[in-house]
């Protein structure tokens, strides 16, 4: 696992795009602070860059770095959740501008899965995590369902957890608004 993390970090540090296992489905990832790398992910997915993508971090502490004013309820949600939870925050900062939604918000998930957590920790920056599919096509749940088109478009494919056959679900998504308003986007 350590060698795979080292290789993936080297590729992302050079502005490359990776295919990697996350705490939910397999993801296409890159340095979330690199505008050119983010642009490549949109191109690979054939997705309009007006549709924001989420990022993974390894620790709740990192959320503060990427969000101007984290609502206090976010800390409780992160601490108490028992399954992967993406929280959409207003006031994103320190991220590639083309990664954010038109309103300046960003979805961030604190991963607790061993590989993606260690990858985020070693990379020391937020990592884009978007499903490994062409926009509009079904999201592949396992590695064997990822299209050859996606596999050939990325710079590095992590050789870890490829044989898994379980069907993980995408994360729940909650948007936190001003004044502690909570809106459930996906359960």
């Amino acid at each position: 696992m350590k060698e795979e993390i080292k290789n993936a970090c080297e590729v992302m540090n050079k502005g490359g795009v990776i295919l990697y296992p996350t705490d939910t489905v397999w993801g296409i990832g890159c340095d979330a602070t690199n505008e050119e790398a983010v642009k490549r992910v949109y191109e690979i997915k054939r997705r309009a860059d007006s549709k924001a993508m989420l990022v993974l971090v390894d620790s709740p502490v990192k959320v503060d770095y990427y969000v101007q004013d984290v609502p206090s309820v976010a800390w409780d949600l992160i601490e108490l959740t028992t399954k992967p939870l993406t929280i959409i925050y207003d006031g994103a900062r320190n991220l590639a501008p083309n990664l954010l939604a038109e309103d300046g918000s960003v979805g961030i998930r604190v991963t607790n899965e061993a590989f993606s957590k260690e990858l985020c920790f070693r990379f020391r920056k937020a990592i884009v995590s978007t499903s490994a599919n062409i926009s509009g096509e079904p999201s592949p749940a396992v590695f064997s369902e990822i299209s050859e088109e996606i596999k050939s478009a990325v710079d590095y494919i992590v050789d870890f957890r490829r044989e898994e056959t379980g069907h993980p679900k995408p994360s729940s998504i909650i948007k936190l608004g001003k004044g502690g308003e909570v809106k459930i986007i996906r359960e």
Side-chain angles (χ1 to χ4, degrees):
M1 184 167 99
K2 281 190 179 358
E3 192 65 26
E4 288 297 305
I5 287 171
K6 181 176 167 251
N7 294 342
C9 287
E10 281 177 14
V11 168
M12 289 189 293
N13 275 321
K14 293 176 185 165
V17 176
I18 64 169
L19 190 58
Y20 70 111
T22 74
D23 52 341
T24 59
V25 297
W26 273 73
I28 298 173
C30 70
D31 176 350
T33 67
N34 182 326
E35 198 167 348
E36 282 302 308
V38 170
K39 182 179 172 199
R40 277 206 46 225
V41 174
Y42 282 118
E43 289 168 356
I44 290 168
K45 287 185 66 77
R46 291 193 229 144
R47 181 176 179 168
D49 64 7
S50 60
K51 290 192 164 195
M53 294 184 289
L54 70 93
V55 301
L56 288 185
V57 295
D58 62 299
S59 152
V61 173
K62 303 264 177 72
V63 175
D64 253 338
Y65 182 72
Y66 296 111
V67 178
Q68 286 171 8
D69 187 25
V70 180
S72 58
V73 69
W75 307 118
D76 294 333
L77 292 169
I78 293 167
E79 187 181 323
L80 299 173
T81 189
T82 56
K83 64 181 198 168
L85 173 67
T86 300
I87 300 176
I88 300 172
Y89 300 92
D90 289 328
R93 63 181 178 181
N94 301 317
L95 293 165
N98 57 340
L99 180 65
L100 311 180
E102 290 175 351
D103 65 0
S105 64
V106 67
I108 300 177
R109 186 166 73 243
V110 178
T111 180
N112 286 312
E113 180 270 331
F115 183 84
S116 56
K117 186 177 185 81
E118 186 69 13
L119 181 64
C120 290
F121 176 74
R122 295 284 170 208
F123 190 59
R124 292 187 162 88
K125 293 186 231 171
I127 298 174
V128 167
S129 180
T130 183
S131 56
N133 62 310
I134 302 296
S135 192
E137 293 182 3
S139 297
V142 292
F143 182 78
S144 60
E145 295 175 2
I146 300 170
S147 73
E148 287 305 315
E149 182 178 354
I150 293 288
K151 291 176 188 173
S152 64
V154 300
D155 301 306
Y156 185 72
I157 302 173
V158 170
D159 189 21
F160 186 71
R161 288 183 41 205
R162 288 191 190 186
E163 278 68 41
E164 289 181 2
T165 56
H167 276 69
K169 293 185 173 24
S171 69
S172 298
I173 302 175
I174 290 175
K175 180 163 179 40
L176 294 182
K178 306 242 185 299
E181 176 189 317
V182 177
K183 182 179 179 187
I184 298 171
I185 309 290
R186 180 173 65 201
E187 284 191 50

